[in-house]
PDB file of all heavy atoms in Angstrom:
ATOM      1  N   PHE Z 199       4.437  12.071 -12.510  1.00 91.00           N
ATOM      2  CA  PHE Z 199       5.536  12.688 -11.753  1.00 91.00           C
ATOM      3  C   PHE Z 199       6.822  11.901 -12.002  1.00 91.00           C
ATOM      4  O   PHE Z 199       7.114  10.935 -11.313  1.00 91.00           O
ATOM      5  CB  PHE Z 199       5.216  12.713 -10.259  1.00 91.00           C
ATOM      6  CG  PHE Z 199       4.048  13.602  -9.918  1.00 91.00           C
ATOM      7  CD1 PHE Z 199       2.853  13.042  -9.514  1.00 91.00           C
ATOM      8  CD2 PHE Z 199       4.139  14.973 -10.023  1.00 91.00           C
ATOM      9  CE1 PHE Z 199       1.762  13.846  -9.207  1.00 91.00           C
ATOM     10  CE2 PHE Z 199       3.055  15.788  -9.728  1.00 91.00           C
ATOM     11  CZ  PHE Z 199       1.875  15.220  -9.319  1.00 91.00           C
ATOM     12  N   SER Z 238      -1.963  17.767  -5.201  1.00 90.00           N
ATOM     13  CA  SER Z 238      -1.023  17.780  -4.064  1.00 90.00           C
ATOM     14  C   SER Z 238       0.437  17.731  -4.563  1.00 90.00           C
ATOM     15  O   SER Z 238       1.306  18.432  -4.044  1.00 90.00           O
ATOM     16  CB  SER Z 238      -1.268  16.610  -3.123  1.00 90.00           C
ATOM     17  OG  SER Z 238      -2.597  16.673  -2.609  1.00 90.00           O
ATOM     18  N   GLY Z 239       0.664  16.891  -5.555  1.00 90.00           N
ATOM     19  CA  GLY Z 239       2.013  16.817  -6.125  1.00 90.00           C
ATOM     20  C   GLY Z 239       2.426  18.127  -6.769  1.00 90.00           C
ATOM     21  O   GLY Z 239       3.589  18.563  -6.615  1.00 90.00           O
ATOM     22  N   PHE Z 242       3.308  20.589  -4.100  1.00 85.00           N
ATOM     23  CA  PHE Z 242       4.636  20.335  -3.576  1.00 85.00           C
ATOM     24  C   PHE Z 242       5.706  20.866  -4.482  1.00 85.00           C
ATOM     25  O   PHE Z 242       6.714  21.413  -4.034  1.00 85.00           O
ATOM     26  CB  PHE Z 242       4.796  18.798  -3.401  1.00 85.00           C
ATOM     27  CG  PHE Z 242       6.077  18.424  -2.691  1.00 85.00           C
ATOM     28  CD1 PHE Z 242       6.070  18.234  -1.313  1.00 85.00           C
ATOM     29  CD2 PHE Z 242       7.260  18.231  -3.368  1.00 85.00           C
ATOM     30  CE1 PHE Z 242       7.220  17.885  -0.631  1.00 85.00           C
ATOM     31  CE2 PHE Z 242       8.428  17.893  -2.713  1.00 85.00           C
ATOM     32  CZ  PHE Z 242       8.408  17.710  -1.355  1.00 85.00           C
ATOM     33  N   ARG Z 243       5.479  20.725  -5.806  1.00 80.00           N
ATOM     34  CA  ARG Z 243       6.462  21.243  -6.768  1.00 80.00           C
ATOM     35  C   ARG Z 243       6.564  22.752  -6.735  1.00 80.00           C
ATOM     36  O   ARG Z 243       7.624  23.328  -6.900  1.00 80.00           O
ATOM     37  CB  ARG Z 243       6.067  20.808  -8.179  1.00 80.00           C
ATOM     38  CG  ARG Z 243       6.513  19.418  -8.567  1.00 80.00           C
ATOM     39  CD  ARG Z 243       6.068  19.109  -9.983  1.00 80.00           C
ATOM     40  NE  ARG Z 243       6.732  17.952 -10.509  1.00 80.00           N
ATOM     41  CZ  ARG Z 243       6.473  17.431 -11.727  1.00 80.00           C
ATOM     42  NH1 ARG Z 243       5.574  17.999 -12.483  1.00 80.00           N
ATOM     43  NH2 ARG Z 243       7.122  16.371 -12.137  1.00 80.00           N
ATOM     44  N   LEU Z 368       9.293  14.542   4.602  1.00 86.00           N
ATOM     45  CA  LEU Z 368       9.205  14.878   3.180  1.00 86.00           C
ATOM     46  C   LEU Z 368       9.007  16.387   2.971  1.00 86.00           C
ATOM     47  O   LEU Z 368       9.626  16.983   2.081  1.00 86.00           O
ATOM     48  CB  LEU Z 368       8.044  14.096   2.531  1.00 86.00           C
ATOM     49  CG  LEU Z 368       7.768  14.326   1.057  1.00 86.00           C
ATOM     50  CD1 LEU Z 368       8.942  13.863   0.218  1.00 86.00           C
ATOM     51  CD2 LEU Z 368       6.496  13.585   0.635  1.00 86.00           C
ATOM     52  N   LEU Z 369       8.194  16.981   3.818  1.00 82.00           N
ATOM     53  CA  LEU Z 369       7.856  18.388   3.658  1.00 82.00           C
ATOM     54  C   LEU Z 369       8.958  19.334   4.151  1.00 82.00           C
ATOM     55  O   LEU Z 369       9.077  20.447   3.670  1.00 82.00           O
ATOM     56  CB  LEU Z 369       6.563  18.709   4.418  1.00 82.00           C
ATOM     57  CG  LEU Z 369       5.303  18.012   3.919  1.00 82.00           C
ATOM     58  CD1 LEU Z 369       4.125  18.370   4.803  1.00 82.00           C
ATOM     59  CD2 LEU Z 369       5.005  18.390   2.483  1.00 82.00           C
ATOM     60  N   ALA Z 373      16.618  17.222   1.448  1.00 75.00           N
ATOM     61  CA  ALA Z 373      17.070  16.108   0.607  1.00 75.00           C
ATOM     62  C   ALA Z 373      16.074  15.767  -0.472  1.00 75.00           C
ATOM     63  O   ALA Z 373      16.417  15.163  -1.487  1.00 75.00           O
ATOM     64  CB  ALA Z 373      17.345  14.868   1.466  1.00 75.00           C
ATOM     65  N   PHE Z 374      14.802  16.135  -0.274  1.00 78.00           N
ATOM     66  CA  PHE Z 374      13.766  15.746  -1.230  1.00 78.00           C
ATOM     67  C   PHE Z 374      13.437  16.951  -2.117  1.00 78.00           C
ATOM     68  O   PHE Z 374      12.760  17.878  -1.690  1.00 78.00           O
ATOM     69  CB  PHE Z 374      12.529  15.265  -0.499  1.00 78.00           C
ATOM     70  CG  PHE Z 374      12.845  14.167   0.490  1.00 78.00           C
ATOM     71  CD1 PHE Z 374      12.941  14.429   1.832  1.00 78.00           C
ATOM     72  CD2 PHE Z 374      13.124  12.896   0.045  1.00 78.00           C
ATOM     73  CE1 PHE Z 374      13.275  13.429   2.732  1.00 78.00           C
ATOM     74  CE2 PHE Z 374      13.468  11.889   0.926  1.00 78.00           C
ATOM     75  CZ  PHE Z 374      13.549  12.157   2.262  1.00 78.00           C
ATOM     76  N   ASP Z 375      13.924  16.875  -3.354  1.00 70.00           N
ATOM     77  CA  ASP Z 375      13.673  17.968  -4.248  1.00 70.00           C
ATOM     78  C   ASP Z 375      12.227  17.929  -4.765  1.00 70.00           C
ATOM     79  O   ASP Z 375      11.498  16.996  -4.487  1.00 70.00           O
ATOM     80  CB  ASP Z 375      14.680  17.974  -5.417  1.00 70.00           C
ATOM     81  CG  ASP Z 375      14.624  16.675  -6.225  1.00 70.00           C
ATOM     82  OD1 ASP Z 375      13.583  16.014  -6.227  1.00 70.00           O
ATOM     83  OD2 ASP Z 375      15.648  16.322  -6.838  1.00 70.00           O
ATOM     84  N   ASN Z 376      11.859  18.924  -5.498  1.00 68.00           N
ATOM     85  CA  ASN Z 376      10.456  19.018  -5.945  1.00 68.00           C
ATOM     86  C   ASN Z 376      10.062  17.916  -6.911  1.00 68.00           C
ATOM     87  O   ASN Z 376       8.873  17.569  -7.024  1.00 68.00           O
ATOM     88  CB  ASN Z 376      10.219  20.383  -6.590  1.00 68.00           C
ATOM     89  CG  ASN Z 376      10.280  21.523  -5.576  1.00 68.00           C
ATOM     90  OD1 ASN Z 376      10.196  21.269  -4.384  1.00 68.00           O
ATOM     91  ND2 ASN Z 376      10.449  22.723  -6.057  1.00 68.00           N
ATOM     92  N   LYS Z 377      11.013  17.338  -7.662  1.00 72.00           N
ATOM     93  CA  LYS Z 377      10.661  16.304  -8.652  1.00 72.00           C
ATOM     94  C   LYS Z 377      10.303  14.988  -7.971  1.00 72.00           C
ATOM     95  O   LYS Z 377       9.237  14.457  -8.158  1.00 72.00           O
ATOM     96  CB  LYS Z 377      11.811  16.130  -9.622  1.00 72.00           C
ATOM     97  CG  LYS Z 377      12.092  17.357 -10.495  1.00 72.00           C
ATOM     98  CD  LYS Z 377      13.278  17.130 -11.402  1.00 72.00           C
ATOM     99  CE  LYS Z 377      13.578  18.347 -12.238  1.00 72.00           C
ATOM    100  NZ  LYS Z 377      14.779  18.172 -13.110  1.00 72.00           N
ATOM    101  N   THR Z 378      11.250  14.468  -7.199  1.00 82.00           N
ATOM    102  CA  THR Z 378      10.998  13.201  -6.527  1.00 82.00           C
ATOM    103  C   THR Z 378       9.971  13.335  -5.435  1.00 82.00           C
ATOM    104  O   THR Z 378       9.102  12.486  -5.257  1.00 82.00           O
ATOM    105  CB  THR Z 378      12.321  12.647  -5.937  1.00 82.00           C
ATOM    106  OG1 THR Z 378      13.305  12.610  -6.966  1.00 82.00           O
ATOM    107  CG2 THR Z 378      12.111  11.250  -5.375  1.00 82.00           C
ATOM    108  N   GLY Z 379      10.045  14.417  -4.690  1.00 87.00           N
ATOM    109  CA  GLY Z 379       9.130  14.631  -3.584  1.00 87.00           C
ATOM    110  C   GLY Z 379       7.694  14.746  -4.022  1.00 87.00           C
ATOM    111  O   GLY Z 379       6.782  14.342  -3.300  1.00 87.00           O
ATOM    112  N   ALA Z 380       7.433  15.254  -5.216  1.00 90.00           N
ATOM    113  CA  ALA Z 380       6.077  15.398  -5.730  1.00 90.00           C
ATOM    114  C   ALA Z 380       5.410  14.039  -5.884  1.00 90.00           C
ATOM    115  O   ALA Z 380       4.229  13.860  -5.533  1.00 90.00           O
ATOM    116  CB  ALA Z 380       6.067  16.157  -7.042  1.00 90.00           C
ATOM    117  N   LEU Z 381       6.142  13.068  -6.408  1.00 93.00           N
ATOM    118  CA  LEU Z 381       5.617  11.707  -6.545  1.00 93.00           C
ATOM    119  C   LEU Z 381       5.320  11.112  -5.182  1.00 93.00           C
ATOM    120  O   LEU Z 381       4.259  10.510  -4.966  1.00 93.00           O
ATOM    121  CB  LEU Z 381       6.578  10.833  -7.318  1.00 93.00           C
ATOM    122  CG  LEU Z 381       6.247   9.321  -7.388  1.00 93.00           C
ATOM    123  CD1 LEU Z 381       4.888   9.129  -8.087  1.00 93.00           C
ATOM    124  CD2 LEU Z 381       7.337   8.549  -8.091  1.00 93.00           C
ATOM    125  N   PHE Z 382       6.241  11.258  -4.261  1.00 94.00           N
ATOM    126  CA  PHE Z 382       6.054  10.719  -2.910  1.00 94.00           C
ATOM    127  C   PHE Z 382       4.816  11.347  -2.250  1.00 94.00           C
ATOM    128  O   PHE Z 382       4.004  10.644  -1.641  1.00 94.00           O
ATOM    129  CB  PHE Z 382       7.283  10.947  -2.071  1.00 94.00           C
ATOM    130  CG  PHE Z 382       8.520  10.234  -2.531  1.00 94.00           C
ATOM    131  CD1 PHE Z 382       9.763  10.539  -2.016  1.00 94.00           C
ATOM    132  CD2 PHE Z 382       8.446   9.242  -3.488  1.00 94.00           C
ATOM    133  CE1 PHE Z 382      10.912   9.861  -2.428  1.00 94.00           C
ATOM    134  CE2 PHE Z 382       9.568   8.549  -3.918  1.00 94.00           C
ATOM    135  CZ  PHE Z 382      10.818   8.875  -3.390  1.00 94.00           C
ATOM    136  N   MET Z 383       4.696  12.668  -2.354  1.00 92.00           N
ATOM    137  CA  MET Z 383       3.554  13.352  -1.744  1.00 92.00           C
ATOM    138  C   MET Z 383       2.244  12.875  -2.354  1.00 92.00           C
ATOM    139  O   MET Z 383       1.271  12.634  -1.647  1.00 92.00           O
ATOM    140  CB  MET Z 383       3.701  14.840  -1.922  1.00 92.00           C
ATOM    141  CG  MET Z 383       2.515  15.677  -1.413  1.00 92.00           C
ATOM    142  SD  MET Z 383       2.165  15.368   0.338  1.00 92.00           S
ATOM    143  CE  MET Z 383       3.644  16.032   1.095  1.00 92.00           C
ATOM    144  N   ALA Z 384       2.208  12.738  -3.668  1.00 94.00           N
ATOM    145  CA  ALA Z 384       0.993  12.298  -4.352  1.00 94.00           C
ATOM    146  C   ALA Z 384       0.582  10.889  -3.892  1.00 94.00           C
ATOM    147  O   ALA Z 384      -0.602  10.628  -3.659  1.00 94.00           O
ATOM    148  CB  ALA Z 384       1.212  12.312  -5.865  1.00 94.00           C
ATOM    149  N   ILE Z 385       1.551  10.007  -3.758  1.00 96.00           N
ATOM    150  CA  ILE Z 385       1.255   8.630  -3.316  1.00 96.00           C
ATOM    151  C   ILE Z 385       0.734   8.630  -1.873  1.00 96.00           C
ATOM    152  O   ILE Z 385      -0.217   7.913  -1.541  1.00 96.00           O
ATOM    153  CB  ILE Z 385       2.491   7.720  -3.462  1.00 96.00           C
ATOM    154  CG1 ILE Z 385       2.791   7.502  -4.943  1.00 96.00           C
ATOM    155  CG2 ILE Z 385       2.284   6.403  -2.751  1.00 96.00           C
ATOM    156  CD1 ILE Z 385       4.071   6.728  -5.205  1.00 96.00           C
ATOM    157  N   PHE Z 386       1.356   9.432  -1.012  1.00 95.00           N
ATOM    158  CA  PHE Z 386       0.874   9.511   0.369  1.00 95.00           C
ATOM    159  C   PHE Z 386      -0.568  10.001   0.418  1.00 95.00           C
ATOM    160  O   PHE Z 386      -1.421   9.424   1.125  1.00 95.00           O
ATOM    161  CB  PHE Z 386       1.764  10.423   1.198  1.00 95.00           C
ATOM    162  CG  PHE Z 386       2.936   9.747   1.836  1.00 95.00           C
ATOM    163  CD1 PHE Z 386       4.230  10.140   1.564  1.00 95.00           C
ATOM    164  CD2 PHE Z 386       2.730   8.695   2.726  1.00 95.00           C
ATOM    165  CE1 PHE Z 386       5.311   9.522   2.173  1.00 95.00           C
ATOM    166  CE2 PHE Z 386       3.819   8.052   3.311  1.00 95.00           C
ATOM    167  CZ  PHE Z 386       5.110   8.457   3.035  1.00 95.00           C
ATOM    168  N   VAL Z 413       7.844   4.025  -0.866  1.00 96.00           N
ATOM    169  CA  VAL Z 413       8.130   5.449  -0.671  1.00 96.00           C
ATOM    170  C   VAL Z 413       8.968   5.681   0.588  1.00 96.00           C
ATOM    171  O   VAL Z 413       9.950   6.437   0.560  1.00 96.00           O
ATOM    172  CB  VAL Z 413       6.821   6.260  -0.592  1.00 96.00           C
ATOM    173  CG1 VAL Z 413       7.104   7.701  -0.150  1.00 96.00           C
ATOM    174  CG2 VAL Z 413       6.121   6.290  -1.959  1.00 96.00           C
ATOM    175  N   MET Z 417      12.733   7.176   0.586  1.00 93.00           N
ATOM    176  CA  MET Z 417      13.065   8.352   1.392  1.00 93.00           C
ATOM    177  C   MET Z 417      14.250   8.030   2.285  1.00 93.00           C
ATOM    178  O   MET Z 417      15.181   8.885   2.484  1.00 93.00           O
ATOM    179  CB  MET Z 417      11.873   8.787   2.234  1.00 93.00           C
ATOM    180  CG  MET Z 417      10.728   9.393   1.425  1.00 93.00           C
ATOM    181  SD  MET Z 417       9.297   9.793   2.454  1.00 93.00           S
ATOM    182  CE  MET Z 417      10.005  10.962   3.605  1.00 93.00           C
ATOM    183  N   ILE Z 420      17.366   8.040   0.022  1.00 89.00           N
ATOM    184  CA  ILE Z 420      17.744   9.405  -0.395  1.00 89.00           C
ATOM    185  C   ILE Z 420      18.335  10.172   0.772  1.00 89.00           C
ATOM    186  O   ILE Z 420      19.337  10.870   0.637  1.00 89.00           O
ATOM    187  CB  ILE Z 420      16.486  10.140  -0.929  1.00 89.00           C
ATOM    188  CG1 ILE Z 420      16.055   9.526  -2.283  1.00 89.00           C
ATOM    189  CG2 ILE Z 420      16.806  11.640  -1.124  1.00 89.00           C
ATOM    190  CD1 ILE Z 420      14.744  10.059  -2.800  1.00 89.00           C
TER     191      ILE Z 420
END
Side-chain angles (χ1 to χ4, degrees):
F199 295 109
S238 300
F242 188 92
R243 276 180 167 178
L368 179 64
L369 297 177
F374 306 103
D375 58 25
N376 291 343
K377 295 178 181 178
T378 307
L381 173 61
F382 295 168
M383 175 57 66
I385 290 175
F386 271 121
V413 169
M417 290 176 61
I420 292 173

